[in-house]
Amino acid sequence: MGTLVIKRLFQTVLVMLGLSLIVFLVLQATADIAAILMPGDATTEEIEALRHTLGLDRPLYVQYFSWLGGVVKGDFGNSYRYNLPALPLVLKRMPATLQLGVTAQLIALLVAFPLGILAAVYRGSIVDRFAMGLAMLGQSVAHFWLGLMLIFVLGLRFDLLPISGTGSWLHLIMPAVTLSTRPMARTARLVRSGMLEILGQDYIRTARAKGLAEMAVVRKHALKNAMIPIVTVIGLELGSLLNGSVVVENVFAWPGVGQLLVQSLKGRDLPVVQASVLLIAGIYVFINLVVDILYKYLDPRVRFH
Amino acid sequence: MVAVALLAVFVLLAVGCRKADDKPKGADPAPKTGETGKQGGTTPEPEKKPAKTTMTVLLYGEPDTLDPIYSMGIPEKNILVNVGEGLFTISKNKEIKPVLAESYKVIDELTWEFKLRPGIKFQNVQPLNAAAVKFNYERTQADAGKMNKWAGDINIKSIEVVDELTFRFHTTDPTPHMLARIADDHYMMEPSHVKSKTPEEVARQPIGTGAYKLKEWRAGDRVILEANENYWGGKPTIKEIVFRFIPEEGTRIAELEKGNADIVFKVSPDSIPLVEKIPTAKVLSGMGGRRVYLGIRNTPENLPTAKKEVRQALNYGVNVASIVKNILSDKAVRLLNPILPPNQKPDLPKYEYDPEKAKQLLAQAGYPNGFSVKLDAFLGATLKDREFLQAIVDDYRKIGVEVTLNIMEKAAFGQALKDRKNSELYLHTAGAGFDPALDVRNMRPDHPNNGHQFTPPEFLEGFEKIRTIVDPKLRQEWSYKLQDVMSDGAPWVFLWMEPEVYGVNKGLNGFTPQGDEHLRVFYPITGDIITLE
């Protein structure tokens, strides 16, 4: 077990290193950053001077290793836009994004489990079709559109919720519901298929045959065993929620990392983009690691494999 | 079903737990009587509403910094224009008016003397004096070459303090555009504050002389300004300004409709009818300062567009009036010349849409059957670019010019221009300079954005003259000559001035969009005083 964890940790470090290289190169390759940062009427000399000040005139590999050296120590450099250290800027926005992501995940689970279980138990019935229809809708609806529709209906027409920004937990509802649609859909479908597979097993028939109530069969025998693959997906969904928050935070003016990332990309604020992307990727990789380790506890087959 | 039920529970909870202060603030409930929502509609006023003291402004982004020497974007300028003041500012009719300066005189062509208004204090009660101005400008000189927006075009060699309120700028070159340059968001910050704080702190806590001071900056969410009760120009009627940052336009307009906003920035042409339908709101628009044009490549000589007749034909060949009317909601004003009013020559010729004349000019230039060109553009630079570019391609097809759109990423576009690897045509915009020399600064032959390379000797001569002649009368003569050269030589396809469009609460008075996208809430000296009912 210990070796497995160490192996996975080692892989995680490699993944992060690879990621750092991609993040660094892709952004550096897109354009002449110094020219973009200067006012439109800047002379070539002024642009050259800025390039020198920012160290962008050095060979790429020198820039990469010097940047990586800083990153290891938690120093992503100063934001070009804010003239403040990039990592604290991103970290300051992280709680808002996590709050949104975790709430969305909770909503997703609250909806997805009953939906998936009902669909499996009443397979082929109208309940199943409705549940899966809803899941399909959740999977395919664009966050951007749903966000604006919620604003229009709940914020404006019925005046039930605040439209944008932060301030109270009421502000959280619409962005979290918008963000929850995709994980809700995917989890519901997975719960349904997992439950269906388990419900067809011999031990379920045995449980029913020994006279257990259907509720107990579903809850104790089926759901518990169906949980194993679902945990993996829930973990991955948490990571993808961070990506989804980019659109949702912009629609609802939610002051999280997603909004900062979009603004920084537009303004070519490399240190902030690099810090945000690496941090989000890091969280994603970390969640994966935790899920992998958790998996080994949940599923004895993995432990003995 | 479960989802719907859960959602319903949430909503019920939301309603149940709603606090009294969660109710929409801002405008009073929508009047039920027959307001049209359109500008100038009849508004029966049953009783006088009490004046509101908090104004909410919805910007589309967060400021990068509130250190004026680095601020370049509209969000930061709109906050800073209320916190700080410059020696001069741009007034409603686009004239340059003194603010902190009381008077100035040109000693010789390399020396400008300014006198400050007496008795002005910064928000930390320190006095504004000549030494403070010297400190502010020397700080920018020391930092030239970084992302400092004050240093360019100002040519300051040294600053001399003559007495407590008098100082002189000694310049390296004649700088006739000095006043326009220092009126361009050069806000004075209090020296002891700047000296005692780190650059990061200076960027977050500006201390100027303005009518409002910074109360709070909530990252990613809002900046709150409160009235400076010791303001030298009087007592502001609006006591608090809340600038919120909402990137999505639909969300900004929804907040306006709900009564949570008094001014919404950047309303696109498509959204104008939406705002007009809101009973408590109106649309305010003005001629913006951003010029939209197609640059036309003049080099190498074998290009069709190197011929003057071809460039003129390209100007006659676009139905600008139709695009403005049908795509830009009739809010944009036709562009006649790179140099803008009030410095524009009266009665400049206009290229009216005339496809026949365009064909004739093409034939004259040796292209009776037209030719093919590429047009570089990056999307998002200006309003409705996707739509009007198609209209332009169609118009050119009618005169035999086949245009292939080359849509690029913004950075790649900028790089191509800088390396002079741009196509024959490119879509670009340029901000107003409020001075002839500043209006044409990006036409300097070595300017990174100069992809047209328009360099006839008469242009270069005029360009040099308006940058160096200090005598206003003689300078105007040269400016008019230069404008004739540019109108005739057509380095650009002159399109339009991008409009400034705002959605505004009907109870708001005293706001006139003036072409620089600045919201001056309390500037008695220029007559800009915004009030709210």
Side-chain angles (χ1 to χ4, degrees):
Chain A
M1 185 69 197
T3 354
L4 268 177
V5 174
I6 292 167
K7 200 170 142 193
R8 287 291 290 116
L9 274 173
F10 180 69
Q11 283 171 349
T12 305
V13 172
L14 278 185
V15 168
M16 287 306 290
L17 263 179
L19 257 173
S20 73
L21 190 66
I22 293 170
V23 166
F24 181 82
L25 285 182
V26 167
L27 292 170
Q28 292 283 0
T30 52
D32 183 348
I33 308 288
I36 293 173
L37 291 171
M38 286 300 273
D41 52 352
T43 61
T44 317
E45 296 74 45
E46 285 167 343
I47 294 172
E48 286 305 326
L50 177 69
R51 185 172 297 125
H52 183 71
T53 315
L54 298 177
L56 296 171
D57 53 350
R58 298 171 299 168
L60 260 188
Y61 72 93
V62 176
Q63 287 186 51
Y64 173 68
F65 283 111
S66 117
W67 173 75
L68 194 63
V71 168
V72 172
K73 287 181 272 173
D75 175 15
F76 283 79
N78 265 20
S79 152
Y80 300 157
R81 288 179 62 212
Y82 296 96
N83 198 21
L84 292 171
L87 188 61
L89 265 178
V90 179
L91 288 176
K92 207 172 163 187
R93 300 288 191 95
M94 205 38 123
T97 297
L98 287 179
Q99 189 188 19
L100 183 61
V102 170
T103 314
Q105 180 71 290
L106 282 176
I107 295 175
L109 293 182
L110 274 173
V111 178
F113 269 90
L115 215 59
I117 294 168
L118 282 174
V121 173
Y122 300 103
R123 183 186 187 180
S125 72
I126 186 138
V127 177
D128 184 17
R129 263 177 273 161
F130 175 76
M132 286 307 102
L134 204 62
M136 190 147 64
L137 204 69
Q139 179 82 42
S140 50
V141 71
H143 282 154
F144 180 77
W145 179 85
L146 180 65
L148 285 177
M149 283 302 115
L150 286 178
I151 286 177
F152 182 70
V153 177
L154 298 180
L156 272 178
R157 284 294 155 261
F158 295 103
D159 195 12
L160 293 171
L161 294 168
I163 290 172
S164 66
T166 55
S168 71
W169 64 272
L170 289 175
H171 286 88
L172 187 57
I173 296 176
M174 285 202 286
V177 167
T178 310
L179 192 55
S180 72
T181 51
R182 260 169 234 173
M184 179 276 286
R186 279 195 284 257
T187 315
R189 288 158 70 112
L190 207 75
V191 168
R192 178 183 179 271
S193 63
M195 286 291 288
L196 281 179
E197 196 192 324
I198 305 288
L199 285 172
Q201 297 287 328
D202 289 347
Y203 62 83
I204 296 290
R205 199 172 48 219
T206 310
R208 281 179 180 146
K210 73 182 180 185
L212 268 184
E214 187 63 17
M215 188 67 181
V217 173
V218 169
R219 196 165 51 86
K220 284 191 179 163
H221 294 272
L223 187 60
K224 200 174 165 196
N225 285 304
M227 276 299 286
I228 297 163
I230 296 170
V231 169
T232 319
V233 173
I234 291 172
L236 292 176
E237 289 298 346
L238 250 180
S240 69
L241 280 174
L242 295 172
N243 307 337
S245 69
V246 171
V247 173
V248 175
E249 285 181 9
N250 274 286
V251 171
F252 292 98
W254 187 261
V257 181
Q259 211 193 97
L260 181 71
L261 184 59
V262 171
Q263 278 204 358
S264 307
L265 269 172
K266 279 186 187 163
R268 284 293 189 285
D269 193 349
L270 278 194
V272 177
V273 177
Q274 286 163 339
S276 315
V277 173
L278 260 192
L279 200 70
I280 290 178
I283 292 176
Y284 200 89
V285 171
F286 175 75
I287 291 173
N288 259 309
L289 180 70
V290 172
V291 167
D292 271 5
I293 295 169
L294 213 62
Y295 210 74
K296 290 169 185 70
Y297 281 103
L298 282 174
D299 190 351
R301 283 169 302 185
V302 178
R303 225 178 305 161
F304 296 117
H305 192 60
Chain B
M1 208 153 66
V2 181
V4 175
L6 269 166
L7 197 67
V9 171
F10 256 114
V11 169
L12 286 174
L13 273 174
V15 180
C17 297
R18 191 166 176 149
K19 291 175 287 183
D21 60 1
D22 286 328
K23 287 206 170 123
K25 57 184 174 60
D28 297 323
K32 299 286 184 269
T33 42
E35 287 195 0
T36 61
K38 285 191 176 144
Q39 212 174 336
T42 51
T43 314
E45 200 67 52
E47 59 192 74
K48 189 89 184 150
K49 294 173 199 161
K52 265 177 59 184
T53 55
T54 298
M55 181 167 95
T56 306
V57 181
L58 303 187
L59 297 169
Y60 46 86
E62 183 175 26
D64 295 350
T65 167
L66 290 180
D67 184 342
I69 73 168
Y70 300 114
S71 71
M72 287 194 273
I74 295 302
E76 50 262 41
K77 286 178 179 179
N78 272 284
I79 294 168
L80 276 169
V81 74
N82 294 295
V83 173
E85 289 165 314
L87 299 169
F88 289 80
T89 196
I90 310 293
S91 79
K92 281 176 192 159
N93 44 4
K94 299 184 169 56
E95 282 169 0
I96 298 164
K97 286 265 170 77
V99 182
L100 297 178
E102 189 176 60
S103 61
Y104 75 97
K105 59 182 170 193
V106 182
I107 306 283
D108 59 50
E109 64 175 16
L110 296 179
T111 314
W112 292 70
E113 185 177 284
F114 299 88
K115 201 169 175 56
L116 293 169
R117 271 175 218 283
I120 297 180
K121 287 193 163 41
F122 286 100
Q123 288 152 0
N124 61 357
V125 211
Q126 292 296 314
L128 170 82
N129 51 27
V133 177
K134 180 177 160 79
F135 170 82
N136 272 275
Y137 278 98
E138 282 183 346
R139 187 160 85 97
T140 68
Q141 297 307 107
D143 204 29
K146 285 202 193 162
M147 283 163 282
N148 172 353
K149 88 163 277 294
W150 288 22
D153 289 307
I154 196 162
N155 306 330
I156 291 179
K157 189 170 76 181
S158 65
I159 302 148
E160 175 194 352
V161 173
V162 178
D163 61 37
E164 179 66 11
L165 295 176
T166 314
F167 59 92
R168 285 180 180 173
F169 282 169
H170 297 284
T171 61
T172 52
D173 299 288
T175 312
H177 48 275
M178 174 63 82
L179 297 187
R181 198 67 195 90
I182 60 182
D184 181 20
D185 301 305
H186 289 197
Y187 306 112
M188 296 299 119
M189 292 290 116
E190 202 280 304
S192 68
H193 169 72
V194 176
K195 281 186 229 167
S196 65
K197 302 282 181 190
T198 63
E200 291 81 12
E201 287 167 332
V202 172
R204 311 291 288 184
Q205 309 157 9
I207 293 186
T209 59
Y212 292 89
K213 49 187 182 182
L214 185 80
K215 184 178 171 191
E216 195 187 351
W217 181 345
R218 284 186 221 157
D221 184 33
R222 67 190 62 197
V223 161
I224 304 172
L225 304 184
E226 62 183 353
N228 169 15
E229 294 300 333
N230 301 317
Y231 180 53
W232 63 274
K235 290 221 181 299
T237 44
I238 289 170
K239 300 296 176 198
E240 196 168 82
I241 315 173
V242 180
F243 289 95
R244 290 189 56 202
F245 323 127
I246 304 184
E248 172 49 42
E249 187 192 7
T251 314
R252 291 200 297 276
I253 293 175
E255 291 283 20
L256 179 69
E257 185 168 354
K258 201 168 176 178
N260 289 343
D262 299 302
I263 298 186
V264 170
F265 268 65
K266 227 180 192 175
V267 173
S268 68
D270 288 339
S271 303
I272 290 173
L274 289 178
V275 176
E276 285 176 337
K277 275 187 199 144
I278 303 173
T280 52
K282 60 186 174 185
V283 171
L284 276 189
S285 66
M287 183 176 89
R290 187 148 287 277
R291 296 157 287 173
V292 183
Y293 63 91
L294 296 182
I296 314 176
R297 215 184 149 117
N298 277 255
T299 55
E301 276 176 18
N302 59 355
L303 282 182
T305 50
K307 293 207 162 98
K308 185 169 92 176
E309 293 79 8
V310 169
R311 296 195 301 271
Q312 290 177 335
L314 291 172
N315 268 284
Y316 282 117
V318 182
N319 194 346
V320 174
S322 162
I323 293 175
V324 167
K325 183 164 181 275
N326 299 308
I327 300 181
L328 297 167
S329 300
D330 226 357
K331 296 287 182 200
V333 173
R334 174 79 204 242
L335 177 68
L336 300 182
N337 199 274
I339 294 180
L340 298 176
N343 302 306
Q344 199 168 72
K345 184 184 173 190
D347 307 320
L348 269 179
K350 195 196 275 187
Y351 286 98
E352 295 288 3
Y353 179 53
D354 190 344
E356 285 315 310
K357 187 156 185 179
K359 280 189 205 161
Q360 208 181 318
L361 282 163
L362 288 179
Q364 221 172 300
Y367 299 98
N369 302 318
F371 51 86
S372 296
V373 283
K374 271 196 192 170
L375 192 164
D376 298 342
F378 68 93
L379 295 178
T382 176
L383 292 171
K384 310 290 283 181
D385 40 13
R386 206 181 288 271
E387 289 84 352
F388 75 67
L389 279 171
Q390 282 305 331
I392 289 176
V393 171
D394 286 346
D395 282 347
Y396 280 155
R397 191 169 292 134
K398 289 176 201 154
I399 60 166
V401 176
E402 276 303 319
V403 178
T404 310
L405 286 180
N406 179 29
I407 303 298
M408 304 165 88
E409 208 268 335
K410 182 181 175 188
F413 175 89
Q415 190 72 38
L417 269 194
K418 186 175 152 256
D419 297 342
R420 312 290 185 236
K421 287 186 177 151
N422 52 291
S423 303
E424 295 90 335
L425 296 175
Y426 59 93
L427 173 67
H428 215 322
T429 68
F434 301 98
D435 178 274
L438 299 180
D439 278 343
V440 294
R441 64 184 151 188
N442 65 357
M443 301 182 84
R444 195 183 61 219
D446 68 337
H447 194 283
N449 286 349
N450 183 344
H452 51 71
Q453 293 293 298
F454 179 72
T455 51
E458 61 274 24
F459 169 79
L460 294 178
E461 187 189 12
F463 183 86
E464 194 53 29
K465 294 285 184 196
I466 62 162
R467 287 182 69 83
T468 49
I469 295 176
V470 178
D471 175 61
K473 200 161 175 286
L474 189 58
R475 187 169 186 242
Q476 192 185 59
E477 278 172 28
W478 276 104
S479 164
Y480 285 2
K481 265 191 223 171
L482 181 68
Q483 290 178 49
D484 284 334
V485 171
M486 291 191 291
S487 276
D488 183 56
W492 299 351
V493 176
F494 303 113
L495 296 176
W496 50 80
M497 314 276 294
E498 190 167 77
E500 250 183 74
V501 186
Y502 303 87
V504 175
N505 168 8
K506 269 189 180 162
L508 182 131
N509 301 307
F511 174 48
T512 316
Q514 56 196 56
D516 61 354
E517 289 184 82
H518 281 37
L519 176 71
R520 293 169 176 85
V521 180
F522 192 74
Y523 267 68
I525 205 143
T526 57
D528 290 290
I529 298 177
I530 295 180
T531 55
L532 275 171
E533 285 169 6

